[in-house]
Amino acid sequence: MEQRKENKMRTMPEGRLLLGMSIPLCISMLVQAFYNIVDSIFVAKISENALTAVSLAYPVQMLMIAVSVGTGVGFNALISRKLGEKRKEDAVAAANNGLMLMLLSALAFCLFGIFGAKPVFGMFTADEEIRALGTTYLSICCTFSFGVFLQIGAERILQSQGQNTAAMASQLIGAVTNIVLDPILIFGLLGFPKMGIAGAAVATVAGQIFGMLCCFMMLMLGKFEVKPSPKGFRPDKEVVVSIYRVGVPAIIMQAVGTVMNLMMNALLIAYTPTAVAVFGTFFKIQSLAFMPVFGMTTAAMSIIAFNYGAKMPDRVLRTRKLALTAALCWLSLGMLCFLLFPATLLGMFEASETMLGIGVPALRIMCLGFPFAAIGITNGTIFQGLNRGLYSMIVSLIRELVVLVPVAYLISMIFGKLGLIWWAVPIGGVVSALVSMYFFGKVKKEQIVPMQAAQNN
């Protein structure tokens, strides 16, 4: 069994391998995006203020995902490399230490949910209704965040071994749970109390916890090469450092989105709260386009990390080329949908005439950055698989903080027009794509070409 799995990662044609590993992950990520959108659709039926509150809470939720996914990327890549090097015990140690880090991170967000949610909302709006709604929603999501942390941790252990179908199943189970509970708890159906925005939060964490339980059950009962085991476990400083060598840049890379959203919300709310709702809605909708790319590039990262550890550079390069081509095609299609149907997309969120007036041109402008984002995302994931997570972090920082936010503020100061601020999004995408191509040239020259030369000698 173990040899067969190794042969698949080592010998299967890259296109077929990437497709087979990507499909479950892409479906899983699409489901994740879909049930996030469903949350907002149901919340929008409460009121536009409720939608604005959820949009203001979204950056903190993004930070939670950034920490969980970034840490998961760290031990996913480490497990894959150790399996490629045929060091199973080291791979198991990476899984154990990775889950320990997930639990500690969940504890930190739990404390934030209890003590920090209300002060955060007080910083961004004086509207009492928005503050009350947002505090309720965010405190529940953070306090019970152990579900999402442990679910993502277990999924990454499975994905590092090419077992993406099991990870997809847990996502589907969690998503269906959330989608079913949303209307029941928000509107008080089937004899349940009407909980409003608190119901949306409870449905979210319930789905995450149920998905976590199912994922661990599949992981522990299945015949997989690497399983976490508490027996004899001791925290290992060297393993933790190895995880965070890739994981911290990945966390920062994703967390910059949180900072960017917070700063953009502070800028946009000065014009109108509706602009915040538009910006938050855009990021929810765009996840339908981006999540499959994240799923596909995560599969590519596992393949690349394994084959880099196995000293097979040609497979590394072919996998990267296939992943980049697929990402460009998919996000170009996504851009076309945003250009042609912006009013339809916003209409899913009970958009008022005011929201449509602001949102339709905004979506058409911001989506122009999609193809450039495909280049940056793909290259960034490849850097993680090659243990160059710092490059991924720099590319993300350039896209969302070094370029996007300053450009948005400059446009606001110089022109004072809300409609021009949206151009900062595609501008950030263009600059980061160029930087990522430069870094890929360096990585290829320093890591891949010498390995090819050693093979040919």
Side-chain angles (χ1 to χ4, degrees):
M1 174 67 75
E2 292 181 7
Q3 182 65 29
R4 183 182 67 81
K5 291 177 184 175
E6 180 181 292
N7 286 343
K8 180 178 80 167
M9 296 284 278
R10 193 184 292 267
T11 63
M12 182 181 287
E14 295 86 354
R16 210 167 82 204
L17 179 61
L18 182 61
L19 181 64
M21 290 181 64
S22 294
I23 287 175
L25 277 174
C26 290
I27 293 173
S28 173
M29 292 287 193
L30 267 174
V31 169
Q32 181 81 22
F34 180 70
Y35 83 70
N36 283 337
I37 287 175
V38 168
D39 255 2
S40 294
I41 289 173
F42 283 118
V43 166
K45 294 181 182 297
I46 300 172
S47 68
E48 190 171 296
N49 274 350
L51 181 60
T52 300
V54 170
S55 297
L56 286 170
Y58 187 55
V60 179
Q61 290 180 288
M62 287 177 62
L63 180 61
M64 192 158 47
I65 297 299
V67 174
S68 57
V69 170
T71 305
V73 164
F75 64 84
N76 183 336
L78 184 59
I79 292 169
S80 293
R81 282 200 304 274
K82 295 305 179 183
L83 289 176
E85 296 166 0
K86 300 183 179 181
R87 297 168 63 179
K88 179 180 174 180
E89 288 185 4
D90 290 345
V92 173
N96 285 334
N97 280 269
L99 289 178
M100 175 196 71
L101 296 174
M102 288 293 204
L103 278 170
L104 292 174
S105 300
L107 176 60
F109 276 94
C110 176
L111 293 174
F112 172 82
I114 296 170
F115 301 109
K118 187 173 182 178
V120 164
F121 269 88
M123 293 167 54
F124 287 96
T125 178
D127 188 302
E128 288 297 330
E129 183 184 11
I130 294 176
R131 288 169 65 176
L133 290 169
T135 299
T136 298
Y137 182 83
L138 187 59
S139 60
I140 294 172
C141 289
C142 290
T143 302
F144 298 95
S145 61
F146 67 89
V148 68
F149 275 96
L150 291 180
Q151 180 182 5
I152 289 174
E155 286 173 1
R156 290 300 184 265
I157 295 171
L158 291 168
Q159 290 162 7
S160 65
Q161 303 170 81
Q163 302 295 330
N164 294 325
T165 302
M168 178 193 71
S170 74
Q171 283 277 359
L172 285 170
I173 291 166
V176 170
T177 301
N178 187 1
I179 291 168
V180 170
L181 289 179
D182 256 330
I184 293 174
L185 299 181
I186 292 173
F187 305 114
L189 306 179
L190 303 179
F192 283 82
K194 183 177 180 180
M195 299 176 66
I197 200 167
V202 171
T204 296
V205 299
Q208 292 165 349
I209 293 170
F210 196 48
M212 172 202 73
L213 294 173
C214 293
C215 195
F216 268 99
M217 184 174 66
M218 288 183 283
L219 176 61
M220 301 312 294
L221 296 180
K223 296 181 179 180
F224 302 125
E225 189 171 2
V226 175
K227 296 182 180 183
S229 174
K231 185 179 180 180
F233 168 69
R234 294 289 185 277
D236 188 316
K237 181 180 177 181
E238 185 178 341
V239 174
V240 170
V241 170
S242 296
I243 290 172
Y244 276 142
R245 187 176 293 121
V246 173
V248 167
I251 290 169
I252 295 173
M253 182 181 69
Q254 298 208 36
V256 293
T258 297
V259 180
M260 180 272 290
N261 267 267
L262 288 170
M263 297 178 76
M264 288 296 291
N265 285 344
L267 175 64
L268 295 171
I269 204 165
Y271 288 88
T272 169
T274 302
V276 174
V278 167
F279 195 65
T281 300
F282 168 75
F283 274 91
K284 289 286 180 78
I285 302 171
Q286 79 156 16
S287 64
L288 287 175
F290 278 77
M291 284 299 191
V293 173
F294 291 139
M296 184 267 298
T297 53
T298 297
M301 184 194 71
S302 295
I303 297 168
I304 285 169
F306 182 97
N307 283 282
Y308 182 69
K311 299 189 182 339
M312 303 182 74
D314 291 340
R315 286 178 66 82
V316 169
L317 290 177
R318 286 193 293 267
T319 301
R320 182 256 178 188
K321 183 178 180 180
L322 288 166
L324 179 58
T325 301
L328 280 168
C329 292
W330 179 259
L331 285 182
S332 295
L333 179 63
M335 178 182 70
L336 188 62
C337 291
F338 272 71
L339 288 170
L340 295 177
F341 311 112
T344 303
L345 295 173
L346 290 169
M348 295 189 301
F349 299 86
E350 306 290 324
S352 63
E353 288 300 319
T354 301
M355 188 171 175
L356 287 172
I358 295 172
V360 167
L363 264 59
R364 284 178 170 154
I365 292 169
M366 289 189 285
C367 75
L368 298 175
F370 283 10
F372 302 100
I375 298 171
I377 291 168
T378 303
N379 284 335
T381 309
I382 302 316
F383 299 150
Q384 292 165 354
L386 296 176
N387 205 26
R388 289 294 188 97
L390 180 63
Y391 286 171
S392 299
M393 180 185 73
I394 293 172
V395 169
S396 187
L397 283 170
I398 287 173
R399 179 174 63 247
E400 298 190 341
L401 289 183
V402 177
V403 176
L404 193 158
V405 172
V407 168
Y409 273 91
L410 283 173
I411 291 173
S412 178
M413 289 173 59
I414 295 171
F415 300 103
K417 292 184 178 180
L418 175 62
L420 295 177
I421 292 174
W422 313 117
W423 283 101
V425 175
I427 291 171
V430 171
V431 176
S432 67
L434 293 173
V435 173
S436 77
M437 292 301 296
Y438 168 75
F439 281 148
F440 176 73
K442 278 178 62 68
V443 168
K444 183 178 178 181
K445 181 179 178 181
E446 294 170 5
Q447 292 180 244
I448 304 300
V449 172
M451 194 177 286
Q452 290 175 315
Q455 273 190 335
N456 294 331
N457 290 336

